[in-house]
Amino acid sequence: MSSGIALSTPPPATPPGAVRVGQVSEGLRRWRKFKSALVAGLCLTCALIVVTPLALVFGYLVIKGVGSINLDFFTKLPVPHGETGGGVVHAIVGSFILIGLAALVGLPTGILGAVYITEYAGRRFASVVRFAADLLNGVPSIVWGIVAYAILVLPKGSPFSLGHYSAIAGALALAFIMIPLVLRTSEEVLLLVPNGYREAALALGVARWKIATRIVLKTASKGVLTGALLAVARVSGETAPLLFTALGNSGWSHGIRDPMSALPLQIYAYAISPYPDENRQAWAAALVLLLMVLVLNVGLRYATRDRLPTRPGTRGKKLSSAANTAATTAVTGGAVTVPQT
Amino acid sequence: MSSDNPATVAVPTNRAPAVSSRVVNFPASSALPAVSPTDAVAIDAREVNIFYGEKHAVIDATLGIPARSVTAIIGPSGCGKSTFLRCLNRMHELTPGARMTGSIRLNGENLYDPKVDPTVVRRRVGMVFQKSNPFPTMTIGENVTVGLRLNGVRDKAFLRERLEDALRKAALWDEVKSDLAKPGISLSGGQQQRLCIARAIAVQPEVLLMDEPTSALDPIATAKVEELMNELKRNFTIVIVTHSMQQATRVADQTAFFYLGKLVEFAPTRELFNNPREKQTEAYITGRFG
């Protein structure tokens, strides 16, 4: 209060009615307070709008799906239409294989592409790649399905075509959705690595490629992993690209050159099915898919937590923590994340 | 260009032995073993010009930096002193649009020979930066040996030996010997800077460049780093850019004054500060500008 700053010093004698600097009328002050509260309230509303759908979806899935989740659901194959019971183990395994293959192709490509444009490329080439990635991020996922279908499924589509539906085609469609996503998120965190680290390593006579991988990428690894996770979560739920490629399968078949089932495909098939028991299992499968993404997310964050404990306050700016929080919140709705600052 | 420039005339270009003999007589460096004339000049820079695009950052700088001594480069901001320092290990090449003409020889070898790999140059000419920058993903120990490990050294015993040697030379061993597995960034600011010095000397360079190494440190940490420089010059040739003229007088055997991209004067430190030959030098050191 009496800290001696200009605004709180005793007002000098002024003619009545004159407004002194830093002092405003009661009405104006109320109006300003109202505006401040209005903006804060508007922002709060928007923040709630972000979280609400996730809470609703998750709650609804639990209500509708939890009753159908039992051991059989995770261990048994589907039973013939019309019968009750059975499970979706083939789709769960299929999802893991498809996402694993997609990650195997998509993550290194996206991450190394980002390393190239931040560590090596000239400004023009980098902006061309960045622009292309932004455009590709806007491509609807079904288009990727059709592209993979045309190239890898149609018998005379290309020299690489298998001529039939296959898990490879599905995984590649998913990989191409991941690449621009991973590239952009990785690029953002690589750019956050202070140049001082690159210079320090250069001054030690370390080769450029080792600086890129062992210093820069390692320093940004948490943020890069978060971006990778976001991409994995994003494609885990993709259905459209798989409809034209992996197709789906109701039996235990996991050759990557053959059609393969996946949870989203199974959800789609069961959701439009006329049999109530299959509808019920669709809810359960959706819940399982959401939980899988959640477990993957929390698990990876736990695995990549800070191994080097730091003195509080010594690490002024945590690389990637902003991107980290943002990405995780996007995936989990913030319901399970402790925001780190 | 250089001939009608009085500044460069004053530079003791080809009189390297003369410089070194004066160095030996200079009281501040009495601890220094007599420099033999053969290796007197470690870095021989001639007619160095550096351009950033259109900007002519360093103009016709010619000087011989004596081996195993501390050479300070002073001058106001933007005078080209940091640029000149960075061209001594070819770090300026990383700045887009940077060009350099002239020659720089390290113990007789041209650092800018097309056959010379800049990576090898930087292994021989190490650098310590204004802001301490230990790698945040590495422990104290890993930070010291990183230069060796990333250059392919696998021998654990050898790494351990170099680790201790470098930390001792950086006067940090006693403070961190039981904390080698702690993160490098857990140290205090002054310790971090000495860790960076240890990291730089672990690869055993011939020259150590320091770009305002103490400007982010408190006076006590600064004193430690300065003391360290005095020790290190027994093994290394040190070139330090500093904003502090007091620091130059404390640590440097000889001092170069840059102004507006030109090397105005290069002389033994005491001579430059007590009896400057150039008007610009005198104006700067007496605080009339800069």
Side-chain angles (χ1 to χ4, degrees), chain A residues 177-211:
Chain A
I177 295 170
M178 293 173 93
I179 288 170
L181 209 62
V182 175
L183 185 122
R184 291 294 272 133
T185 51
S186 303
E187 189 208 354
E188 298 288 333
V189 289
L190 290 175
L191 287 175
L192 286 180
V193 176
N195 256 329
Y197 297 142
R198 296 181 178 88
E199 289 193 333
L202 273 168
L204 292 169
V206 176
R208 281 289 279 280
W209 72 272
K210 280 189 183 167
I211 295 173

Side-chain angles (χ1 to χ4, degrees), chain B residues 72-105:
Chain B
I73 302 179
I74 60 169
S77 295
C79 69
K81 59 190 190 302
S82 278
T83 301
F84 179 76
L85 189 79
R86 292 168 76 86
C87 81
L88 298 181
N89 70 345
R90 297 181 65 169
M91 289 287 280
H92 74 286
E93 290 174 6
L94 303 166
T95 313
R99 279 183 304 122
M100 181 262 189
T101 64
S103 82
I104 294 175
R105 288 175 181 277

Side-chain angles (χ1 to χ4, degrees), chain A residues 27 32 39 68 74 114 140 152 164 187 192 205 208 239 250-251 270 277 299:
Chain A
R32 284 178 175 176
V39 173
S68 309
F74 295 102
L152 298 166
H164 53 78
E187 189 208 354
L192 286 180
R208 281 289 279 280
T239 320
S250 57
Y270 279 173
D277 195 56

Side-chain angles (χ1 to χ4, degrees), chain A residues 128-148:
Chain A
V128 168
V129 174
R130 199 175 298 128
F131 181 68
D134 284 343
L135 281 185
L136 291 178
N137 272 328
V139 171
S141 62
I142 195 162
V143 173
W144 288 116
I146 295 167
V147 168

Side-chain angles (χ1 to χ4, degrees), chain B:
Chain B
M1 201 168 167
S2 63
S3 56
D4 52 31
N5 171 15
T8 43
V9 176
V11 178
T13 313
N14 300 320
R15 293 182 289 141
V19 171
S20 71
S21 68
R22 274 189 291 175
V23 169
V24 174
N25 297 332
F26 189 46
S29 57
S30 52
L32 206 119
V35 181
S36 67
T38 47
D39 65 358
V41 174
I43 299 172
D44 185 13
R46 294 191 187 210
E47 286 166 30
V48 172
N49 285 278
I50 304 168
F51 306 84
Y52 290 130
E54 293 298 300
K55 188 177 151 55
H56 200 165
V58 174
I59 304 161
D60 271 331
T62 296
L63 79 164
I65 293 169
R68 267 159 276 151
S69 65
V70 177
T71 302
I73 302 179
I74 60 169
S77 295
C79 69
K81 59 190 190 302
S82 278
T83 301
F84 179 76
L85 189 79
R86 292 168 76 86
C87 81
L88 298 181
N89 70 345
R90 297 181 65 169
M91 289 287 280
H92 74 286
E93 290 174 6
L94 303 166
T95 313
R99 279 183 304 122
M100 181 262 189
T101 64
S103 82
I104 294 175
R105 288 175 181 277
L106 171 60
N107 295 327
E109 286 169 72
N110 186 358
L111 297 183
Y112 284 82
D113 190 291
K115 277 173 279 179
V116 171
D117 177 358
T119 309
V120 175
V121 171
R122 293 179 198 132
R123 236 170 273 172
R124 296 177 59 189
V125 185
M127 192 159 186
V128 175
F129 299 85
Q130 179 173 6
K131 200 164 165 274
S132 67
N133 49 9
F135 297 122
T137 55
M138 297 180 195
T139 65
I140 293 171
E142 287 167 346
N143 258 296
V144 177
T145 56
V146 60
L148 295 165
R149 287 184 291 116
L150 292 190
N151 280 315
V153 177
R154 295 270 176 279
D155 184 346
K156 284 235 170 82
F158 178 76
L159 286 174
R160 171 81 208 178
E161 190 183 305
R162 280 284 185 90
L163 167 71
E164 182 172 341
D165 180 61
L167 282 173
R168 280 192 192 283
K169 284 204 179 105
L172 196 58
W173 175 252
D174 291 328
E175 288 161 64
V176 302
K177 62 184 170 197
S178 54
D179 295 331
L180 294 176
K182 286 193 182 161
I185 48 176
S186 66
L187 297 172
S188 72
Q191 288 174 322
Q192 284 192 25
Q193 192 61 299
R194 279 180 287 147
L195 179 63
C196 292
I197 293 172
R199 179 177 66 186
I201 60 184
V203 294
Q204 298 195 332
E206 292 152 56
V207 180
L208 204 53
L209 308 178
M210 296 182 161
D211 194 353
E212 299 181 36
T214 61
S215 61
L217 301 182
D218 66 41
I220 293 169
T222 299
K224 279 192 176 157
V225 171
E226 288 179 359
E227 201 179 308
L228 183 56
M229 280 185 240
N230 224 356
E231 285 296 311
L232 289 173
K233 71 180 182 187
R234 280 197 248 167
N235 299 298
F236 303 95
T237 302
I238 296 175
V239 186
I240 174 177
V241 160
T242 178
H243 257 128
S244 154
M245 285 181 269
Q246 287 80 4
Q247 181 166 61
T249 59
R250 287 192 299 262
V251 301
D253 301 301
Q254 51 277 323
T255 298
F257 170 58
F258 274 75
Y259 183 57
L260 298 177
K262 288 179 183 158
L263 173 61
V264 176
E265 186 164 352
F266 179 45
T269 302
R270 175 171 285 187
E271 203 174 300
L272 185 121
F273 282 100
N274 290 347
N275 197 9
R277 270 170 300 183
E278 299 299 324
K279 282 227 158 58
Q280 285 173 329
T281 315
E282 192 185 352
Y284 182 68
I285 61 175
T286 53
R288 261 178 274 152
F289 73 90

